[in-house]
Structures are given as C-alpha cells and as structure tokens.
Amino acid sequence: MRRYLEHFLDLCKNRIFVMLCGVIVLFAIIVLRLFSLQIIHGEYYDESITASVSKTLPVAASRGNIYDRYGRPLAVNTVAYCVQVDGSVTLELNREERKTLATDLTDWLWADGHHKVDSLPITTSSPYSFTFKGTDEEKEKQEKSWKASIGLEKKQYKLSATECLKYLYEKYDVPEGYTAVQKRTYLSLAMSDDRNLMALTLARKLSEFGETIDDELPLDTEAPYAFQFNGNTNREKSWKQSMLMKGKELNYNSRKTLDYLRDFFGLPEGLPEQLVRDTLGIRYSLYLKRYQQYQTVTIATDISDKTLAYVEENQDTFPNVVIDTVSLRDYPEGEYFSHILGYIRQMTESDYALYKDEVDADGNPLYSQTDVVGQDGMEKLYEKELNGVDGKVLIEVDNQGRRMSVIDSTEPVAGKDVFLTLDSKLQKVAYDTLESELRTAVLRKLTGGGKTYASSTELFTSMININHISAQKMIQAEDGVQKQVYQKLKQANPTFSPTQDNAVAVAKEFLIDGLEKGSISLKELMLMMIEQGNLSVTEEEKTSIENGASPTALIIKKLSNGEMSPADTGLDPCTGSVFVTQVGTGEVLASVTYPSYDNNELVNTFNNAYYNDLLQDGNTPLVNRPLKQKKASGSTFKMITALAGLETGTITPSTTIVDKGLFKDAGVPYARCWIYSNTGGTHGPVNVSHALEVSCNYFFYELGYRLGSTANGSDSNKAITTLNEYMAAFGLNDYTGVELDEYGPTMASPANKEKAVKTFNPDATTSQTRWTDGDTIRTAIGQSINSYTPAQITKYVSTLANGGTLYKLHMVDHIQNADGTLHSEVEETVENVTEFKEENLQAVYQGMYLVTNGSRGTLRTAFNDLPVKVAAKTGTAEEDKNRSSHTWFVCFAPFDDPQIAITVMIPFGEGSGTPAPAVAKAIIREYLGLDYTPTNTTMQTVLAE
C-alpha cells in the first residue's frame, strides 16, 4: 500500500499528470453544465431564450404629389390600415387554437351549404379500410408514410383504419356532436399545417368582411379563374414552370391549374372553389417572398373596422398577422388624367434593371426589387423626383422572427411635388362635353333614320368587334347563356378547341355570322354581355330581356341615362381627343383622350382582370390619342398653304381663283373640289379668305400647283420644297417637345413618300416613288401622306395665332421640394420665329373668322351664342371607304386677342352632326369664365342680418 502511495505521489510531481487531471476536471464541469442546460433546464431555456439578431429594414419615403396649374391635387397619398403577413415569423398553433379554427371552418362550411371536405385515406363507412392504391407493396409503403405523417410511432404502424380514426379523433379533439361526415371534414381541416389553417381562416374572414384580397396569383379572382396572361402562352408556360409544373401539367387550363396549386400548397380537397382561390392568393404571395426574411406581405388594404378588430383580437393565435398603416396612391380625377399621370406599381425585372444602379449621397441603393415605381406618364417620367429617399430602421428579432425592439432609425425624405401646366377644370369640361356630344351622335344613329342610321345588327356587331361582347370570355364560360352559345359553336364546328391559336377569331366570326343569319339572337348576345359584366342591369331589366323585350331599346335607355358610354357601343363616332394650349407660352392646358381608363384600378391593388379587358378593348382606351393617334390633317392644313402662297408672292390677299370643280393640270386622276363631288356645283371665284371660309379645295389645288411655277412650267419639287419650309415654320416637321412619349409627325415630302411606298413595296420603281404634281396639290389640302397628332396640329395653330413664334410645348410648370421651396422650373423655349407680313396674316385670320361668322362659313351658326368671336377651321380625312371620314376642328379664341388654341379630332365622325365645335365652345366658355357666376356670401350675410 505504501508503494502505491509513493507511486501516486511521484505521479503528482509529474507536470503532465497534473495537466491531464485539470483537463479531466474541466471537461467534467462542461459535461455537467451542458447536462443542466439541455436536459434539466432545456425546456425552460427553449421557451425563454431570445436571439440577439438585428435586421435593417427600409422605411418607405412618402411619394411626392402631382398638382395642376392651380394646385388642385391630381395624384396624392392617403394613409390606410392594411393586413400584413410576415412569413418569417414561426406560426405554432396550440391544441386549443387548432381546435377553435377547425371548428369555426367546419361550422361555416355546413352553415353555408358546403360539406364533404375529406382528405382522409379511409373509407367513409364501416367497416373502415384504407383507400391507398397500387400493388400490395406500394399500398403498404403509402400506409406507413401516412401513419408517420399523423404522428404514429413505428410500434403503432399495425393500427387498423378504425383504430387510426379513433386515434385522430382523440388527438384533434373532434367535437362529439358532429355527424360522421362533419367529423371527417373537421379532421381534414385540423390536420392541415398551421399556415393553411391561418390562410383559410383569413381568406374566409376577409371575404366575410367585404375586403378585397391583394395577391399576385395570375388567375382571375372569380370563376372561371381565367389566366391573366392575355393569351401569351410563353408567359403562361414560364409561370407554370416556376411553380414546378411539367409535362402534361403545362397544358392544364385555369381550373386544373387551381387544383394543382391546391395540392402544391397542401390544402384539403372539397373546399369551396372561391375559398380555395382566395386562400391560394395568400399562400402564393407568401411563397413569392419565401427568401426575403422580415419582409411582410400585404393581403388587404384600406380595411374596415371589423377586419381591424378581428386581427387585433386574434393576435395571440396569429402572431405573424399584423395591422399596419400603408401609404396608398390616389388619383382624385381618375379617368380624366390617367393617360397623363400613368400609375405606380411594384417594379418588374426590367424596372429593376433600370433603377438598380441609382444610389443616394452615401452610395446606398435607392431602390430594391420590392419598391413601387411609376409605370407610365408623369409617374414614370418623374420617378426619381417623386420617389424621395427611403429611411431605415434597425430592429431586433427573437428566435421566432418576431420583432422585439427598434435599435436605431433614419427618417425618410419625402419626394418632390410636380406641378403641371394643365387646368383640371378645363380638362374635365373638355372630357365631359366630348363624351356628351359623342353620346348624342350615337343616339341619333340608333333612333334616327337616313344613311347614318345604325340597325340593331350593326350595333351588336360593333360590340362584338370591340370585345364588349367577348368571344374569349364566351369560350371560357362554364354555364349560363354563354355556355349555351358555345355549345352552338361546337355543334357548327365539332373540331373547334378553345386552345387553338385562332380560337377567339373563329368564335367572334361565328357570333357575327350567326347574328346576321339569325342563328344567334339579340337576346342571347345581350344576356352574354350581362353575364360578362359589361352591362349593369337590374333583375327586372334582365327578366324583361329574357321575356322578349327589345335589347336595343334597353341599350338606348342605358345610353340616355348615362349608364352606358358611347364607347361601349363601338358605333362611329365613339372615340376622340382634345388638345388645348396657350398661344403665347407653349403651355398645355388640356389633353383629353376618350375613351379613357381609371388608373385607380391599376394602383395599390393591381386589377389584372380590368387591365386585360383594357388590352382587349377594340376602342384602345390605353392609347394616348392626342400624342399617339396620327391622321391626315385634311383642310385644317390649308392655312399653311395660304401663307406659303402669300409670303412667296404667288398670290396676294385679293387674288381670286375660279373654282372649276375638276382640277386637271396635275394629271389624272383629276382632283375634285368637295362641293363638286357632293352637288356638281362650284364655289366660283374666291380669294384666299373666302377660300378658307368655304374650304374650297380647288383654290388650294391651284395655289399648290402655282407654288412650283417656273419659266419652263411647273416644278413639283419646287412646290413641295416651299410647302415643306412653311410646314417646318409651324413645327410639323418635328416632335412637339411635350414631356410625355409621343409619335413624330409624317410630313408630306419626296423622301417620306419614297419611304412610305417602299414600306409596302420594297421593289418599287423610281416612277412609283417620284414626287408628282398630283402629290403636291393633295398635300396643299392636307392629304397625301400628311399625318399628324392633335398635339402637333395644335402647336401649328398656336403658332399661327401668335403671329409666327414657335414654342416648345410642355406640361410641367415646376417641381417643388417637400418643404415648399422651388427645386426647378420649366422655362419657355422658343424654337423658331417667322416674320410674316401683317397683311398676309390678317388675310388668313379673316378666312378663319369667316368660317364661324361669314354668310357661307362652314360653321356659321355653331358659335352664334358665344359672346366672343372665334377663328376656326374644319377638316376631314378619309381612311376607310366603308366608314365615315375623320373630322378635325381647330380654332383660336378670342379672335381679336388670341389666348388659347384648340384642336378636337373625332375619328370616323363625319356625318354625325357637329360634336367638335360644341366641345370647343364649352372649353372657351370655361377658360374665359363666361359661365362663371360670382357669389358674395358676405353681402348675403349682411342682408340676412
């Protein structure tokens, strides 16, 4: 024993042994501590521990506002409550919460008449058995997998179907009072994962409270849940592949795709289809943000008090669902300014590529992929000024991703405000009057007689052509009259398929052909339009149509009381544009497109169905007509020809030319004066002023021809060169300069003729492309290949009215910082000044004056009730021999002190009365305040006292 003790003492003297003992002691301490932390106190620490994780989140800057010239709001921000879901927060429902949610959903399904929600792989009647399919080996494998998924241990894998049901009843606290079918429904819901129970409950409650669910799922929100790819099969396929669809799944229609997504996200079968669509919208929105921690998804905006209260009351159940405030973009004037303002939306990949390199003063990125940016108009053009600079907030989150506290923050800098030159009141007067005059013209066609009368067949054919009776929606319908008509199409064309490339064109042709032959009735088409939501009717009105009342009579009624717009009919004329400028500044006062669209539908919650309808609308409501609809200018061009002749000395103000009806000097086909074509008569001898008064084509044929006069005869190149010089003096050779995107003009010239001819015939010969006298004389009356937008024509008329100063047009007046200080101002730009002789200008002005005041003026009675004099000119241009000519109207007012220039262009408007002058008259009255009635409330108060 002594020897062992001595040996131990020797070991203790060994430094290595001492170190080894120390290591063993330390290791033992660590093991004991870990045992205490993980085994003894593990549950306590798991519940109480918080993760010290910080995350920097952006704080959106308030977007700048847009105002008209008088400070009236056109684009503003409003604050609203919204429901947001944070996908990074762990959702863990306890047993009682799960039971409550499953019970509520089950009770609602039964109360609403829905049931048979059953995802259990067990037969519905006793003796119970499993319903797995395949070989015995495959069925056994499926059974074990399912039993593991419901929480059974390996030793319980031998449980029968009956025993499994009993186990599930106990595990999920199935209410005793339920029937067997209700119990299975309850189980199917209770066994769903936490996210699905949350999404199902939210979708149901939001619908119950009347909220609109915001989501990015590219399927319509209502049956038949059509794809929102506007027929673009490549986009559809790409999206399906992003959702892991492959093979035959890529050919699924929208309904089958909805079923696929239901299985993809694990929702139980048998749920009401609308609930499934709404729930998938929530799940899909979260799915898109699955890689972006701490970024919430907004699923409902501008919510009601009921919704707010419900979410707040259930915060413990759904800690990942929160109420927050959100800044919403609002366009108070909607359709009046949509083409000018555009709208904002979350940026696309192409947007991000455009803005990703933008940084602030510190080099930090100004944009993220989740930011909202301008998509069109001023919102896009001045995106960087309106956007401002986002702030930052540094937050601390716990182990479940929930926000705990704010560590630091940087305040955002609001965007700048943009003030336009436009007058919102003038814009609204122009739009409303144009719509009213077009409505009158369409009603006259439907109720009158003569050559302009439109039959019921023509009316409904027009509505089919512009897709207000949609063939595309008809072939996608699953019930109603649309389905019945579709069955007629299938009977007539058994090989027809809704997925074939020309399906819509074939269906449209079938409808029109059937209408003409009587196999498709007006009643069927009317009921189709009602089912498609393109005509709002009462139940009484619908019943009357079903019982044989006249569909056309109802449309006339709806048109008369304003429930239908003229654009809804598709009958000519039902579109138009107006452009108004100040003659001495280049400021644009109004720019009207009709029909228009409501940009409020495309902002905050993008209405895909509404946007697709706009894309399909044959009236092209998305086109900015004053800047992008080019037409031949017709007789409104004649003032340029007149000045060219006067300034070059080709004629004088007193020179007379005798109208002979047919102008033969320029070769065949002989050019005709309009009065000769209509009546066989002529205007006789006229000078330049009277030629403008009566719009004598012959006078300007002759003048255009004389412009090419030389000692050796007529030189067509000399004539057009002279005309081109004067066109350029009035800006018809270039863009107007307005800030928004616009089409350039097509000025009649030898080069442009050659280009136009070779566009359609690349092998055209020199004789086919050369400029001729016939081209010159037709150019002189605004025909040939002249093609201009209303904005370009207004710039020309404005230059004429001010005596020759060509201003660059602009819609923006100034930009203001958020604190009210001036950031920048748009200065007037003079592009050119032409010194015209005063007597020549007066001769042209007198001609335009006689148009509205002369004894033979083409508009001699249109402005009789206006207390100021107006100088004007009309014009027509033929495009389609089967339709009316386009009509132009230009003017400046007042005649003795020009302040504004106006252009009204109505496609296919000839023969429909005089809509354009009435529009111009309303604009003049508004601008000059002729209808203004002052009110003196102070005096009234004094008198009352």
Side-chain angles (χ1 to χ4, degrees):
M1 186 69 181
R2 182 181 180 83
R3 187 176 60 181
Y4 288 117
L5 181 60
E6 290 175 352
H7 185 65
F8 176 73
L9 291 174
D10 289 339
L11 284 173
C12 290
K13 295 176 182 179
N14 189 310
R15 285 178 295 176
I16 294 176
F17 177 76
V18 172
M19 289 178 62
L20 181 61
C21 291
V23 169
I24 292 172
V25 171
L26 290 174
F27 185 74
I29 293 171
I30 291 172
V31 170
L32 290 171
R33 184 60 178 160
L34 286 173
F35 182 82
S36 174
L37 288 172
Q38 295 187 18
I39 306 302
I40 300 175
H41 300 103
E43 186 176 349
Y44 168 77
Y45 287 117
D46 184 54
E47 292 177 355
S48 62
I49 191 170
T50 58
S52 182
V53 177
S54 62
K55 178 71 176 180
T56 300
L57 298 177
V59 179
S62 177
R63 192 172 181 84
N65 298 323
I66 303 176
Y67 300 95
D68 82 341
R69 67 187 296 113
Y70 298 113
R72 304 183 189 109
L74 303 178
V76 295
N77 305 306
T78 59
V79 177
Y81 287 112
C82 66
V83 179
Q84 296 181 335
V85 181
D86 190 343
S88 60
V89 175
T90 303
L91 180 62
E92 294 181 352
L93 299 174
N94 60 40
R95 186 166 180 164
E96 189 59 35
E97 290 169 341
R98 182 177 295 276
K99 178 180 180 180
T100 299
L101 295 178
T103 302
D104 287 347
L105 282 168
T106 302
D107 292 344
W108 173 77
L109 286 169
W110 249 255
D112 211 41
H114 300 287
H115 49 83
K116 294 184 180 178
V117 178
D118 195 342
S119 59
L120 297 176
I122 298 174
T123 56
T124 58
S125 58
S126 182
Y128 298 110
S129 60
F130 293 110
T131 59
F132 299 113
K133 297 179 180 179
T135 64
D136 290 342
E137 184 177 348
E138 289 172 341
K139 287 192 286 186
E140 183 179 357
K141 186 176 180 180
Q142 293 174 49
E143 182 180 328
K144 286 182 178 180
S145 176
W146 179 75
K147 287 179 176 178
S149 71
I150 64 173
L152 291 176
E153 299 177 1
K154 284 187 177 181
K155 62 182 181 181
Q156 297 174 298
Y157 284 0
K158 296 296 183 181
L159 291 180
S160 65
T162 301
E163 291 170 326
C164 285
L165 270 180
K166 183 179 179 182
Y167 164 81
L168 291 173
Y169 286 170
E170 293 175 355
K171 179 178 179 179
Y172 291 103
D173 299 321
V174 177
E176 291 294 333
Y178 279 174
T179 64
V181 177
Q182 287 176 311
K183 288 179 179 179
R184 294 176 70 95
T185 296
Y186 172 91
L187 275 179
S188 298
L189 295 167
M191 292 168 65
S192 300
D193 69 28
D194 293 345
R195 290 171 300 176
N196 280 341
L197 266 178
M198 176 270 295
L200 283 166
T201 301
L202 279 180
R204 181 176 75 83
K205 285 295 182 181
L206 290 175
S207 177
E208 179 183 326
F209 296 146
E211 310 294 356
T212 299
I213 296 177
D214 304 347
D215 66 64
E216 296 295 322
L217 188 61
L219 294 171
D220 283 351
T221 55
E222 296 179 355
Y225 313 108
F227 289 117
Q228 296 173 343
F229 299 111
N230 195 31
N232 189 322
T233 55
N234 289 330
R235 285 180 56 207
E236 180 183 327
K237 181 179 179 180
S238 177
W239 175 77
K240 286 178 176 178
Q241 289 173 332
S242 74
M243 296 307 297
L244 308 183
M245 299 176 75
K246 54 188 178 182
K248 293 181 179 180
E249 295 167 346
L250 296 176
N251 297 320
Y252 280 178
N253 61 22
S254 59
R255 276 272 173 45
K256 285 189 174 181
T257 300
L258 200 69
D259 291 340
Y260 170 87
L261 293 174
R262 180 200 63 212
D263 297 337
F264 181 86
F265 287 110
L267 295 176
E269 294 183 21
L271 289 167
E273 199 171 36
Q274 189 60 52
L275 178 62
V276 171
R277 170 60 185 86
D278 293 342
T279 304
L280 288 176
I282 298 173
R283 289 303 313 271
Y284 180 73
S285 297
L286 289 168
Y287 179 76
L288 292 179
K289 295 285 184 72
R290 61 194 182 281
Y291 300 126
Q292 301 173 25
Q293 267 200 320
Y294 314 117
Q295 291 290 332
T296 57
V297 171
T298 300
I299 61 171
T301 56
D302 200 12
I303 58 174
S304 65
D305 292 339
K306 283 186 177 181
T307 302
L308 189 151
Y310 174 80
V311 174
E312 293 289 358
E313 290 169 2
N314 289 274
Q315 192 65 58
D316 291 339
T317 304
F318 300 137
N320 60 335
V321 181
V322 296
I323 296 294
D324 203 351
T325 56
V326 64
S327 179
L328 301 179
R329 197 64 162 174
D330 180 51
Y331 302 109
E333 304 300 347
E335 62 186 4
Y336 293 110
F337 283 90
S338 56
H339 293 86
I340 297 166
L341 301 178
Y343 58 95
I344 59 174
R345 190 187 182 191
Q346 184 170 318
M347 69 167 63
T348 61
E349 290 184 8
S350 59
D351 291 328
Y352 186 64
L354 182 65
Y355 296 113
K356 67 179 181 180
D357 296 328
E358 297 292 330
V359 296
D360 61 18
D362 299 324
N364 300 311
L366 284 173
Y367 291 91
S368 69
Q369 286 180 290
T370 59
D371 282 343
V372 170
V373 295
Q375 296 295 317
D376 199 7
M378 294 295 173
E379 292 279 27
K380 182 176 183 179
L381 187 65
Y382 288 92
E383 165 60 34
K384 296 173 185 177
E385 289 80 4
L386 291 165
N387 187 57
V389 180
D390 288 349
K392 299 176 183 176
V393 58
L394 184 64
I395 64 170
E396 184 179 11
V397 298
D398 64 13
N399 65 318
Q400 292 187 328
R402 292 174 294 198
R403 302 184 189 191
M404 294 175 57
S405 62
V406 175
I407 301 173
D408 192 17
S409 64
T410 302
E411 291 298 316
V413 178
K416 301 174 181 64
D417 296 330
V418 176
F419 286 77
L420 305 182
T421 62
L422 299 161
D423 180 343
S424 61
K425 284 189 176 180
L426 197 69
Q427 178 90 357
K428 291 166 71 174
V429 165
Y431 186 98
D432 290 341
T433 308
L434 176 60
E435 182 177 52
S436 176
E437 291 300 315
L438 290 175
R439 174 178 282 108
T440 299
V442 171
L443 283 170
R444 190 181 297 120
K445 292 187 76 168
L446 290 172
T447 59
K451 64 179 182 179
T452 63
Y453 174 71
S455 66
S456 296
T457 298
E458 290 173 313
L459 168 62
F460 279 82
T461 298
S462 293
M463 292 193 289
I464 293 170
N465 280 324
I466 65 171
N467 298 315
H468 282 208
I469 298 177
S470 173
Q472 182 174 19
K473 291 181 179 179
M474 182 265 287
I475 62 178
Q476 295 173 339
E478 297 188 342
D479 51 30
V481 175
Q482 294 182 86
K483 186 67 173 179
Q484 296 170 15
V485 174
Y486 174 69
Q487 292 300 331
K488 287 186 178 182
L489 169 59
K490 287 290 289 181
Q491 290 171 8
N493 189 350
T495 61
F496 176 83
S497 169
T499 59
Q500 66 188 58
D501 292 339
N502 63 341
V504 175
V506 171
K508 185 179 290 189
E509 183 179 356
F510 170 78
L511 291 176
I512 294 173
D513 188 58
L515 176 60
E516 292 174 349
K517 293 180 178 178
S519 58
I520 303 292
S521 68
L522 294 178
K523 180 174 78 171
E524 288 174 308
L525 292 173
M526 188 73 164
L527 293 173
M528 281 176 56
M529 186 162 59
I530 293 170
E531 289 178 359
Q532 292 170 0
N534 293 328
L535 180 64
S536 179
V537 297
T538 64
E539 280 299 320
E540 183 180 354
E541 288 170 333
K542 183 180 178 182
T543 301
S544 70
I545 294 296
E546 291 172 336
N547 292 335
S550 168
T552 303
L554 181 58
I555 286 179
I556 291 172
K557 172 187 172 184
K558 296 288 185 181
L559 268 173
S560 301
N561 62 24
E563 292 183 56
M564 277 186 75
S565 73
D568 290 333
T569 68
L571 289 173
D572 295 332
C574 66
T575 65
S577 57
V578 182
F579 204 77
V580 186
T581 61
Q582 283 190 337
V583 301
T585 63
E587 294 181 3
V588 179
L589 298 175
S591 178
V592 170
T593 289
Y594 185 86
S596 184
Y597 67 95
D598 186 359
N599 47 357
N600 287 295
E601 292 289 337
L602 306 181
V603 72
N604 306 319
T605 303
F606 190 83
N607 189 334
N608 277 296
Y610 178 76
Y611 184 68
N612 283 331
D613 283 344
L614 294 176
L615 292 175
Q616 296 294 326
D617 195 325
N619 287 324
T620 60
L622 291 172
V623 173
N624 193 344
R625 297 178 190 277
L627 303 180
K628 289 189 174 183
Q629 189 173 55
K630 294 168 58 177
K631 302 292 182 185
S633 53
S635 294
T636 59
F637 182 89
K638 289 176 179 175
M639 289 82 79
I640 292 179
T641 305
L643 275 173
L646 291 165
E647 289 289 311
T648 58
T650 305
I651 60 170
T652 68
S654 60
T655 299
T656 60
I657 294 174
V658 178
D659 178 4
K660 299 177 181 178
L662 284 177
F663 186 81
K664 300 181 179 181
D665 293 346
V668 293
Y670 297 143
R672 296 166 173 252
C673 188
W674 67 266
I675 195 171
Y676 182 82
S677 297
N678 289 349
T679 67
T682 72
H683 292 108
V686 288
N687 62 20
V688 66
S689 297
H690 289 295
L692 289 171
E693 176 189 9
V694 298
S695 199
C696 179
N697 287 348
Y698 191 97
F699 180 96
F700 291 97
Y701 292 148
E702 176 68 31
L703 178 54
Y705 187 75
R706 290 185 187 183
L707 286 172
S709 296
T710 66
N712 299 319
S714 178
D715 182 350
S716 59
N717 284 320
K718 177 189 175 185
I720 192 59
T721 298
T722 301
L723 277 175
N724 285 166
E725 289 174 1
Y726 283 89
M727 292 182 200
F730 289 98
L732 293 184
N733 65 329
D734 204 354
Y735 295 93
T736 66
V738 74
E739 293 87 347
L740 298 178
D741 189 28
E742 61 174 325
Y743 288 163
T746 301
M747 185 174 72
S749 68
N752 283 335
K753 178 186 176 180
E754 182 177 5
K755 185 188 299 183
V757 171
K758 288 192 172 182
T759 297
F760 297 99
N761 181 14
D763 300 322
T765 64
T766 302
S767 63
Q768 291 173 311
T769 61
R770 71 181 178 86
W771 192 264
T772 67
D773 288 333
D775 294 320
T776 298
I777 66 169
R778 287 171 175 82
T779 298
I781 65 166
Q783 302 292 343
S784 182
I785 57 170
N786 277 319
S787 185
Y788 308 104
T789 65
Q792 289 153 6
I793 293 296
T794 312
K795 184 177 182 179
Y796 138 52
V797 175
S798 185
T799 305
L800 175 63
N802 69 39
T805 301
L806 184 67
Y807 287 96
K808 178 181 180 180
L809 299 188
H810 61 99
M811 287 186 179
V812 176
D813 184 76
H814 68 277
I815 300 175
Q816 186 173 286
N817 294 313
D819 61 5
T821 58
L822 182 66
H823 173 266
S824 61
E825 191 171 12
V826 177
E827 296 183 357
E828 300 299 338
T829 301
V830 176
E831 297 177 328
N832 183 57
V833 177
T834 305
E835 298 292 342
F836 295 109
K837 294 179 181 178
E838 185 60 28
E839 62 267 28
N840 293 337
L841 282 173
Q842 290 303 322
V844 173
Y845 292 163
Q846 181 65 17
M848 296 179 69
Y849 174 83
L850 291 173
V851 169
T852 59
N853 295 277
S855 60
R856 295 196 296 169
T858 53
L859 294 173
R860 53 188 174 273
T861 61
F863 293 89
N864 284 350
D865 59 343
L866 206 61
V868 296
K869 299 302 179 182
V870 177
K873 188 71 187 79
T874 61
T876 60
E878 183 181 82
E879 179 178 322
D880 185 339
K881 291 186 179 298
N882 296 317
R883 301 174 74 177
S884 298
S885 295
H886 307 308
T887 59
W888 288 87
F889 172 87
V890 300
C891 74
F892 61 82
F895 171 72
D896 52 358
D897 180 23
Q899 296 180 37
I900 59 172
I902 304 170
T903 296
V904 182
M905 200 276 281
I906 300 178
F908 310 107
E910 188 181 27
S912 57
T914 55
V919 176
K921 185 161 58 176
I923 292 170
I924 294 168
R925 299 189 76 92
E926 172 62 29
Y927 182 80
L928 297 177
L930 300 180
D931 293 328
Y932 175 68
T933 303
T935 56
N936 190 333
T937 55
T938 303
M939 181 61 70
Q940 289 172 355
T941 303
V942 171
L943 291 174
E945 292 177 350

